Amino acid sequence: MPATPDPDPAAQPAAPAAPVADGRPYSPGLEGVLAAETSLGLVDGANGRLMYRGYRIGDLVANGTYAAVANLLWTGTWDPRSHMAAGRVPSAVLSALRALPRTTKPMDALRTAVSVWGATQVLDWPPSEVHARAITAFSPSALAAFVRLRQDLEPIDPDPRLDLVSGFLFQLTGERPDPATARALDAYFIVGAEHGLNASTFAARVITSTRSDMASAVAGAIGAMKGPLHGGAPSEVVEQIHRVGSPEHAEQWVREALARGERLMGFGHRVYRAYDPRATALRTVVEAMPTKPDWLELAIKVEDVALRVLEEKHPDRPLKTNVEFYAAAVLQGVGLTPDLFPATFALARHAGWTAHVIEQASANRLIRPDARYVGPGERDLPA
Ligand code: COA
């Protein structure tokens, strides 16, 4: 990376920066750097495999619940009877949410809620499974409360008999969701729960490495996930499908978009070189949903065309469907508005973030990499 030009015209010419003496490799974005050991999730990009503690994602979606998957990540034990209900929202959090402008982005509201929640809790070192359960149960209720408040509706108390995902939908709408709808969103939560050392998970581990607490780690992770390079593009998938318009236009639209240098949303991945296993799992879920988005048939046509044309254009670089493509269908199918998609993804990732926090704390080492100095060499201040 070139040195930043000196902004001070009065300054004397800078001596060259000290050379790097030890020849250590520099990897922008830490790409390819092993920065942690984990027994939580294996992302096998070459073979299109994702496993949580060794269990295949497809099997977890087919046979598990989010509560069981979260419990697996936290404890290492598979207990399909695990139950987790939505948590209560402390009054301090409700006051903070009431004070936010209506135009606040749901991710900002969620980050704020987690921060205020942390101020109301005793979260001693080391972060524990108890903290993980509490924050994972709290956040869906907080997001639902914010959604209602911005519509001039009062928040709804959680129903302890409902599982987390059904409880979230209940607290959003005031109605108990039908089992198939709740099941579809629960499957989305399972596929979103964990994905290795991605940016937000790394942020959570960095924060934990300073011996900070669970709420600070999750608030920081939400901040990292908010960025468009991470938080995903399911709402853009929906927009793109609408722009295609009809199945007979799919081929022409895809070719023209690629000719304009645009990226097809829901395709390609930094790690996966094969069909994203989360997309496979969610496609099965979408096909079983009672209410499918009206654009689903068109989306399937667009996918067929896009895969064919992308292979034609990039024969050496496999560009396959990623999780966002079918995530969009699930999220819209269960009735969530596109502006809630990123925050719902954040809710799902709570299980993984908090499991990584516990894992980091269990063998903690302060994360403190070095930067290669490329600024001016030693010099005197201007007289
Ligand atoms: N549509 C069209 N072309 C794509 C593409 C897409 N979705 N994804 C990658 N490519 C092309 C690039 O244009 C590039 O072509 P070039 O070599 O001719 O310049 C080549 O494939 C490699 O792209 P690169 O940017 O190195 O890939 P990456 O690993 O950095 O990108 C993503 C990963 C996810 C950022 C990228 O695939 C993308 O932007 N996808 C669309 C957005 C999306 O679905 N995001 C959700 C991800 S879960």
Side-chain angles (χ1 to χ4, degrees):
M1 188 191 283
T4 316
D6 196 315
D8 180 358
Q12 59 181 294
V20 182
D22 56 13
R24 282 177 294 166
Y26 164 45
S27 178
L30 300 184
E31 205 167 337
V33 173
L34 290 174
E37 284 189 322
T38 184
S39 48
L40 298 172
L42 172 68
V43 186
D44 176 3
N47 299 303
R49 293 186 309 160
L50 171 63
M51 284 170 269
Y52 298 165
R53 292 196 184 268
Y55 296 119
R56 287 180 290 276
I57 189 69
D59 293 349
L60 292 169
V61 168
N63 302 303
T65 61
Y66 183 68
V69 164
N71 185 68
L72 171 72
L73 290 168
W74 294 325
T75 67
T77 305
W78 179 244
D79 178 3
R81 291 158 307 155
S82 305
H83 176 74
M84 180 169 37
R88 294 191 68 79
V89 181
S91 58
V93 176
L94 285 176
S95 302
L97 293 176
R98 282 183 206 281
L100 293 176
R102 306 252 160 139
T103 50
T104 301
K105 290 200 170 81
M107 279 293 258
D108 288 325
L110 182 62
R111 193 196 57 236
T112 303
V114 165
S115 184
V116 177
W117 179 85
T120 69
Q121 308 293 309
V122 178
L123 299 170
D124 293 333
W125 180 266
S128 68
E129 184 197 325
V130 173
H131 304 164
R133 285 184 191 282
I135 198 165
T136 303
F138 156 78
S139 286
S141 302
L143 180 62
F146 169 71
V147 172
R148 290 186 69 83
L149 288 169
R150 73 178 181 176
Q151 294 171 294
D152 275 335
L153 298 168
E154 273 307 297
I156 297 172
D157 285 338
D159 180 339
R161 292 164 303 179
L162 296 177
D163 66 30
L164 191 73
V165 167
S166 302
F168 172 53
L169 290 169
F170 168 63
Q171 286 176 279
L172 277 174
T173 62
E175 287 167 23
R176 285 176 174 70
D178 69 83
T181 298
R183 172 80 196 113
L185 188 59
D186 199 72
Y188 169 80
F189 269 54
I190 293 173
V191 305
E194 154 63 10
H195 211 235
L197 204 60
N198 54 81
S200 59
T201 300
F202 185 55
R205 288 190 80 128
V206 170
I207 292 167
T208 303
S209 82
T210 70
R211 290 197 171 208
S212 188
D213 61 89
M214 184 69 89
S216 301
V218 171
I222 295 169
M225 185 180 262
K226 190 187 158 197
L229 295 186
H230 183 10
S235 50
E236 292 181 45
V237 171
V238 180
E239 278 166 33
Q240 206 162 62
I241 303 288
H242 283 137
R243 271 186 269 134
V244 174
S246 65
E248 51 284 6
H249 286 131
E251 175 117 15
Q252 187 193 352
W253 191 91
V254 164
R255 287 188 184 280
E256 285 177 1
L258 291 176
R260 286 192 299 270
E262 287 177 20
R263 296 211 166 187
L264 303 179
M265 292 298 140
F267 297 89
H269 195 271
R270 176 56 62 82
V271 180
Y272 291 118
R273 291 290 165 264
Y275 201 100
D276 186 332
R278 302 168 299 172
T280 312
L282 286 186
R283 181 171 174 160
T284 309
V285 168
V286 169
E287 280 161 1
M289 274 169 71
T291 336
K292 302 181 185 52
D294 50 9
W295 46 263
L296 182 63
E297 212 174 307
L298 173 58
I300 290 171
K301 171 75 181 165
V302 171
E303 183 189 19
D304 287 345
V305 171
L307 289 174
R308 181 162 45 79
V309 177
L310 284 170
E311 192 172 346
E312 191 184 302
K313 300 249 175 225
H314 297 275
D316 302 328
R317 162 113 186 164
L319 292 169
K320 305 291 188 199
T321 313
N322 67 44
V323 64
E324 310 288 11
F325 197 77
Y326 285 104
V330 173
L331 295 172
Q332 183 132 36
V334 304
L336 298 177
T337 51
D339 78 327
L340 288 177
F341 292 0
T344 308
F345 179 27
L347 296 182
R349 188 53 61 82
H350 270 54
W353 287 334
T354 51
H356 275 272
V357 165
I358 295 168
E359 188 175 59
Q360 174 68 35
S362 70
N364 193 38
R365 173 96 182 138
L366 177 68
I367 298 174
R368 203 306 190 183
D370 272 350
R372 185 168 72 191
Y373 178 71
V374 294
E378 185 174 346
R379 54 182 165 164
D380 296 326
L381 278 171

